[in-house]
Structure formats: C-alpha cells, structure tokens
Amino acid sequence: MTSGAEVIELSSDEEEEPVPSTTALARRRPSSPPDVKPPLLADADVKPPLLHPPGYGALVPVKTEEPVPVPVATASPPPRALPPPRICRQFWKSGDYVVARRNPDADAPGGRNRLRINPRFLHSNATSHKWAFGAIAELLDNAIDEVNTGATFVCVNKFTNPRDGNPSLLIQDNGGGMDPEALRRCMSFGFSDKQSDAFIGQYGNGFKTSTMRLGADVIVFTQNQNNGVPTRSIGLLSYTFLMETGCDDVLVPTVDYQYDPMTASYIQMLRHDQKLFSSNLGILLKWSPFVSEAELLKQFDDMGEHGTKIIVFNLWFNDDGDMELDFISDEKDILITGAHKKVKTNKLEKIATQNYISTRLRYSLRAYASILYLHVPDDFKIVLRGCDVEPHNIVNDLMYRECVLYKPQIAGLTESSVITTIGFVKGAPDIDVQGFNVYHKNRLISPFWKVANNSYGKGRGVVGILEANFIKPTHDKQDFEKSNLYQRLETRLKEMTYEYWDLHCHRVGYDNKSLSKADRALNRANRMNAGSSPISAPPRLLAANIPTSSCGIPRLSASAAREKINSLESHSNNMMGLKRKLDSFCAMTDNADDQDRQNHTDGVDVSQRKRFSEYRTLTLENDKLRNECLQYEESEKQLVMKVYLFGN
C-alpha cells in the first residue's frame, strides 16, 4: 500500500488562506455571521482540480461517460480565498447552504448531461426524521436484515473522535458486509436489493436520512467475501466537506481494497487510476476522524471476516446548544438530552406512569430498542454500550387478556387476518397508559397509539399489541400512510377498546353499568372487603402464559379455578348455620343495589350482618366461578386450536 501517494486537494497547488477546520467550525456559535464578505461573482468561477470523472460519486443514476483527464495545475496568480460557508450544528437550522464554487466536472465534456443533486438535499431529505431514535432505528433495521447473511449481533456505542475528542455514534454488525458496488448503491438514493417480505427496509433511502439526521458526517467501513476475493471498502458522506468546499453537487469519496494472497494483506483496488484513488483517499484523511491510511485500515481489526461499521460524527445539537444525544447521564444507555427530566411527585400513580416503558421509550434508547421488534431472532442480540438489550414483550404487562381476530377487507376480498392481544396494563387504572402498539413486519411503527380519545376516561389502562402488515408505513417508519385501510383499522381498534372496556372495566375498580345488578353488587362487596383494589381470584386465574410464535395468548387454568371453588365451598358450609338465623334479613337484601333498605335491619347484630355479607359474597363468587370455569375450559380448547392453526 502506498500511503505516500500523491493527493489532489480541492484547493489550488498555490498557497492560499487556510480553510477553518471542522473542529473550529463546530465550536463556532451558530448565530455568528461569517467574518469574510461573500465572494465576488468572478470568484465563483474559480475551478479546483478535478476530483472525479463526470458522474462518479453522484447520488443518482448517471450517464456512462469516459473519464475526463485531470487538469494539471499551472503557475497562475493564486485565486482569492473563499469564505467559509455558514455551518450550524443545530440540525433544524443547518439547512442554509450557499454555493461557493461549482463542481469542477460541471464544465467538463458531457458534464451537464447528467443529473446532479445539490448538497442541501441531504439536509432536507433527513428532516423526514423528527426523532433521533427513529433515525437510529433505521440503522438497527439494516443490521436486523443482515440476519439473513449470518449476523448475530449489532453493537451501538459511543466512539470518541480522535481529532477533537467529541463523542460520535458507532453502529457495527457482523453481517455479510458490502462489496464495492453494494457500498456505492447504499450511499446512493433509491437503490435497494431488499424486495422480499423478509426485509424491513425496501426504499433505499434509510441510510442517508438516518445518518444525516444524527450528524453532519458519516464514514462507513465494510468488509465482504461474497465474490471469492475478500474486499474492504470505505465511504464518506460528509455534509461538512460539501459545505466547506461549497460544492453544488454531492460527492462521495470511496476507496476499496482487495486481499492479495501473495502478500497475505489488503492492497489498493484501483477502479480507474492511481490519481483518482489518491484524491479520494486525500478527502477521507482530511475530513474524516482519521488522519492516515493506516488509521483507516485499523478500523477493520475488530470486524472479523465480514461486517459493517458506521461512525456518525459531528453530531447535531438541540435548540439549547447541547448535543442531542446524551452519552453521559447513563453509562449503559443513550438518552435524548433534556427529555428524561422527571416531574417530582409523591403520588404513586404518577411515579408508576413515569417509570413505565411507554414514557421511558421517549428518551431512553435502551427502553425503545427493547420493544422495537416483536420477535428478535434467538441467535441475534442488540448490544447497547456493552450490555445486551433485553427484549420487552408488552403482552406480559397485561392482565385480563383477550385475543381478537380482525380481518381487513378491500372490495370485499379478505387481505389478511390479524390477531390483536388486548388487556389492562398491570397497575391500571392508576397508571395513565393506553393505546395500541402496532408493528409492521416485526418492526414497531406506532407505540401506544391512542385511538380512544375522550374526556371521561373510558379506555384508560387498555393496551393492545398487533402486527399490521396490510398497511404501509411512512418512509421514516414512525407512522403509517393515511390510507382507507389505515382509517378502518383505527375505527376497529377504537371499537375494540370500548368493547373490552365495557366487559372488563369492573375488574380494575370501575362501576360497570352494563352488568347485572347482582354482579355489580358482588363487585362493590369485593371492593368494600379489599379496599379499592379489584378481587384477586381472576388475576390468579389469568396469570399463566402460553408461549406462541405470533402473540402472547393466555392459557386459562381450569385446575386453578376448581381449587378456588373447593376452598369456597368448604368455607360456605361453615356459614350455613348463620344463613338459617338470617332468613328474614336475606329477604330484604335480595337487591344489593338498594342500600337504603339496610335501615330495616337495625335489630340485627352488626357482627352478624358483616358475617352474612361475607357469606353472600362468597356464595355469589362461588356460582360465578363455576360458570367461569366451564367457560375457561372451552376457551382453553379454542385458544390452543388457534395457536396451532396460526403457528402452522
């Protein structure tokens, strides 16, 4: 390898005023104007030496043309120094872009016969991500897709930029990697080989939008062995480089290496000629975190025989001027700066709501990654800052679960069947959580989608989980396209919430007026005996889980119900003598809702009334459990059959 090869710089061979470094620009206040006045019109026509042949490195399909010879620098008066473009480290304010000099190949023969993309498009394209974690999820999706090529892990970690010591974001997997052509397609727009339903990404745009949303620059290292000859490729997509040089076209410098069995090492792979390789390498060494070719190649040391490493550097700041990603507050997590400030309160219900995953996923990458995929492959793991991310199945957070079958239809034709698991979140109604977690091809799109919006609290605590592959997500994978199918799904989920609420709200302490008076009396009696908490028998009956490949469907234990019935019968036999003494009292209290009738029992001892109330509660519960036991046995048979059918 010839690390001392000639490097063609963007500037002229003659001396000129130095361009501020990336570090200096990063420390500049975003609101400070440039110190140098804009160049005269004549200055914009100064052309640096050609870096690429026409079409090379463009992010759109280009017309095939012959390489244009690199112009030789001649002794000429030094051009006037160009002012540094205004670069802002705050993402939502960094879209201003002023072209300082034109792309050198624009005036080359045939240079105007191809499409070009202004660098400003990199920023505007990245604004599709409103949330930094959504951008990181795109990169995790690419790693999950590599399971098909043998990937067993994806690592997300902090990387310290050796140039300035600033934190950067590192994402690395041990998948199949990319050959030189695949890397160029990855860093271009609209190219994607993922057309199968087995892949999450299919648009060929996620890498660009996600990396440019997280930081101004990204460098990619990838190693591949698919073509028989192991290759290593390095590519740089740098908004800073394009802005500081004032290019009016997107240039992506890449270098490739191939394994030489004669020397048992990797040597430079020349796609055109040595000058082109050297010019691209020079840009990489000037604008990336690494100052030598040896440092670049050292990044492959921990990648094994294949895989991909992505380093996003010059990370964006928020509106307060702080780095958007927080690597300091939690050494085992990555947080959204300023989003994890908890409200100080002594109320247990508010504390429980703040600690529940529906709140934590908004600022904790570990919490978000734990529910990002409905099923993580058994031999694959997500490693965040050195610690595995434990998958969190929201189904296990639910009590009184039910499974509802939904069949979306278009023009009378059934497209698919979706099983929705719905229930009350544990701790309801104290925990103010509700909504549906909707997945698409195993990927979470809408977490805790609140479809039941009302002012009287109906639906509070009801949570559901489903996988909706029949509707399409938006490009940022944080929402769904608002199609007719989407609207029908929203309507059905709302109905499902209210139907479930009407059937089960009494179990968490609400007065369910849709029940019979006897059942409502039983519920009130149980709340009187146990405080404000719901009765404990049904939760124990519904506690057992059944593992499935599609969703968590509860297995209802009939033996547990029989055990409870036997204990209740034994206790009720001891109360029979009391029943004979209180026949007259029983006649007056047949309707438990008429509380005012209790004033006729003044002659009855208070302790006897209390004991009779306990007896009546137990007998009613006994009768109810007998009926539920029969229903549970039948439901168990049906659910096992569903699991068998949908599992196959």
Side-chain angles (χ1 to χ4, degrees):
M1 291 179 284
T2 58
S3 58
E6 177 186 1
V7 176
I8 303 177
E9 300 287 350
L10 278 176
S11 59
S12 171
D13 291 340
E14 300 292 332
E15 294 183 357
E16 61 179 15
E17 295 182 20
V19 179
S21 65
T22 306
T23 306
L25 289 169
R27 296 175 179 173
R28 178 180 298 167
R29 298 295 299 173
S31 59
S32 61
D35 298 328
V36 184
K37 296 182 179 180
L40 299 177
L41 188 59
D43 295 330
D45 292 331
V46 176
K47 303 183 185 66
L50 180 64
L51 287 176
H52 303 278
Y56 182 83
L59 298 183
V60 293
V62 298
K63 179 180 178 181
T64 303
E65 299 171 359
E66 293 298 327
V68 178
V70 179
V72 180
T74 59
S76 59
R80 180 171 179 148
L82 295 171
R86 292 176 298 173
I87 185 170
C88 179
R89 290 297 301 278
Q90 294 171 319
F91 175 74
W92 297 107
K93 300 177 182 179
S94 61
D96 295 337
Y97 185 89
V98 178
V99 175
R101 53 170 66 164
R102 291 184 297 173
N103 190 353
D105 67 349
D107 294 329
R112 290 291 182 181
N113 292 333
R114 66 176 178 84
L115 296 175
R116 304 202 316 280
I117 295 180
N118 191 290
R120 184 184 296 178
F121 179 71
L122 290 177
H123 178 268
S124 60
N125 187 46
T127 57
S128 61
H129 283 291
K130 304 299 186 293
W131 189 38
F133 284 173
I136 295 178
E138 286 274 9
L139 301 176
L140 294 179
D141 291 344
N142 292 338
I144 286 284
D145 285 339
E146 287 297 307
V147 170
N148 297 287
T149 61
T152 60
F153 73 86
V154 57
C155 176
V156 183
N157 212 337
K158 172 187 174 183
F159 177 85
T160 302
N161 190 330
R163 284 188 185 268
D164 53 23
N166 289 329
S168 305
L169 180 68
L170 180 146
I171 298 179
Q172 179 178 344
D173 66 71
N174 65 338
M178 294 176 282
D179 58 29
E181 292 299 332
L183 175 63
R184 284 155 178 80
R185 289 195 299 270
C186 171
M187 306 188 82
S188 301
F189 287 95
F191 291 93
S192 177
D193 298 328
K194 303 176 182 179
Q195 301 301 326
S196 169
D197 290 340
F199 296 102
I200 300 174
Q202 292 187 5
Y203 298 110
N205 195 38
F207 173 80
K208 279 73 62 177
T209 59
S210 58
T211 54
M212 293 293 99
R213 172 60 183 85
L214 296 168
D217 312 288
V218 58
I219 187 169
V220 181
F221 302 86
T222 185
Q223 184 164 292
N224 176 273
Q225 294 190 356
N226 288 345
N227 297 326
V229 178
T231 60
R232 292 176 172 178
S233 299
I234 307 171
L236 176 70
L237 183 59
S238 174
Y239 193 57
T240 304
F241 155 63
L242 297 171
M243 290 190 70
E244 286 213 27
T245 56
C247 290
D248 67 345
D249 196 3
V250 175
L251 301 177
V252 182
T254 57
V255 293
D256 307 298
Y257 300 85
Q258 63 182 3
Y259 184 75
D260 182 11
M262 300 296 294
T263 60
S265 62
Y266 283 85
I267 62 174
Q268 295 180 356
M269 181 178 176
L270 304 181
R271 294 171 59 86
H272 291 286
D273 53 33
Q274 182 65 48
K275 279 191 175 182
L276 185 58
F277 184 97
S278 298
S279 67
N280 287 338
L281 179 60
I283 297 173
L284 283 167
L285 299 182
K286 183 174 182 179
W287 300 101
S288 78
F290 310 100
V291 298
S292 69
E293 188 179 33
E295 288 187 17
L296 285 173
L297 295 176
K298 187 175 178 60
Q299 295 303 310
F300 291 97
D301 290 350
D302 63 346
M303 293 178 58
E305 297 181 351
H306 47 77
T308 301
K309 178 187 292 187
I310 299 170
I311 300 176
V312 185
F313 56 103
N314 287 331
L315 300 176
W316 296 118
F317 294 170
N318 59 21
D319 292 340
D320 295 329
D322 300 319
M323 187 169 290
E324 191 172 15
L325 297 180
D326 179 5
F327 297 90
I328 300 176
S329 299
D330 190 338
E331 63 181 9
K332 297 184 182 300
D333 201 353
I334 299 176
L335 308 179
I336 298 291
T337 301
H340 59 287
K341 295 179 180 178
K342 296 182 179 180
V343 178
K344 293 183 179 180
T345 178
N346 294 326
K347 295 184 178 180
L348 296 179
E349 59 271 17
K350 289 187 176 180
I351 295 176
T353 301
Q354 291 181 359
N355 292 332
Y356 189 58
I357 195 167
S358 62
T359 303
R360 292 189 292 111
L361 68 86
R362 305 297 176 184
Y363 62 82
S364 167
L365 181 59
R366 181 170 294 275
Y368 179 56
S370 69
I371 64 171
L372 185 59
Y373 302 104
L374 192 58
H375 307 289
V376 178
D378 294 334
D379 55 350
F380 187 87
K381 59 183 179 180
I382 301 174
V383 183
L384 177 59
R385 304 198 71 179
C387 297
D388 293 357
V389 174
E390 295 296 332
H392 183 105
N393 191 347
I394 301 176
V395 171
N396 296 331
D397 294 344
L398 305 183
M399 54 186 182
Y400 314 121
R401 288 171 286 189
E402 286 190 354
C403 296
V404 182
L405 185 65
Y406 172 56
K407 296 183 178 180
Q409 294 184 351
I410 301 177
L413 300 176
T414 302
E415 292 294 317
S416 59
S417 298
V418 179
I419 295 180
T420 301
T421 304
I422 188 172
F424 275 110
V425 67
K426 293 176 182 178
D430 293 334
I431 296 181
D432 188 11
V433 174
Q434 71 180 83
F436 288 84
N437 295 271
V438 188
Y439 290 78
H440 177 83
K441 294 182 180 179
N442 196 46
R443 159 75 140 80
L444 179 63
I445 304 298
S446 295
F448 296 94
W449 177 20
K450 191 175 181 181
V451 296
N453 296 307
N454 53 69
S455 58
Y456 47 90
K458 190 173 184 180
R460 179 185 174 110
V462 178
V463 173
I465 303 95
L466 69 152
E467 186 175 17
N469 295 334
F470 57 92
I471 51 178
K472 292 184 177 181
T474 56
H475 278 223
D476 64 346
K477 298 193 182 90
Q478 297 298 306
D479 200 356
F480 288 100
E481 295 179 357
K482 303 302 186 287
S483 61
N484 289 334
L485 272 178
Y486 172 87
Q487 295 173 357
R488 292 178 187 176
L489 175 63
E490 183 178 18
T491 301
R492 182 65 189 101
L493 294 180
K494 184 176 181 179
E495 294 172 352
M496 198 182 299
T497 301
Y498 291 153
E499 290 169 0
Y500 179 86
W501 176 270
D502 291 337
L503 287 173
H504 302 285
C505 68
H506 61 280
R507 292 185 167 186
V508 294
Y510 289 97
D511 185 17
N512 191 348
K513 296 182 180 180
S514 63
L515 299 178
S516 64
K517 292 183 178 180
D519 288 338
R520 293 172 65 190
L522 173 62
N523 295 329
R524 280 197 295 271
N526 279 290
R527 289 197 297 272
M528 290 174 60
N529 295 333
S532 60
S533 61
I535 58 178
S536 58
R540 287 201 294 270
L541 293 177
L542 298 175
N545 295 328
I546 178 170
T548 68
S549 60
S550 57
C551 61
I553 302 177
R555 180 185 292 274
L556 306 178
S557 175
S559 60
R562 292 195 188 95
E563 182 180 351
K564 179 63 180 177
I565 290 172
N566 293 335
S567 64
L568 290 174
E569 286 179 340
S570 176
H571 188 67
S572 63
N573 290 335
N574 297 330
M575 304 293 291
M576 290 302 295
L578 177 63
K579 179 179 183 299
R580 298 188 186 98
K581 296 180 182 180
L582 299 176
D583 285 339
S584 59
F585 173 62
C586 180
M588 291 185 295
T589 57
D590 284 338
N591 189 343
D593 283 335
D594 299 333
Q595 297 294 333
D596 57 75
R597 293 189 182 183
Q598 291 188 6
N599 57 7
H600 296 292
T601 63
D602 293 338
V604 183
D605 185 77
V606 175
S607 63
Q608 289 180 331
R609 291 202 307 270
K610 182 177 180 181
R611 294 179 64 192
F612 176 77
S613 176
E614 293 177 355
Y615 162 77
R616 185 169 181 79
T617 298
L618 290 172
T619 53
L620 288 173
E621 185 177 352
N622 189 14
D623 294 338
K624 186 174 181 180
L625 283 172
R626 285 181 182 276
N627 294 329
E628 287 185 352
C629 181
L630 297 176
Q631 295 176 5
Y632 292 164
E633 290 176 341
E634 183 64 26
S635 298
E636 182 178 21
K637 296 177 182 178
Q638 295 177 1
L639 290 174
V640 170
M641 182 60 65
K642 284 183 180 180
V643 172
Y644 175 77
L645 293 176
F646 288 100
N648 296 321

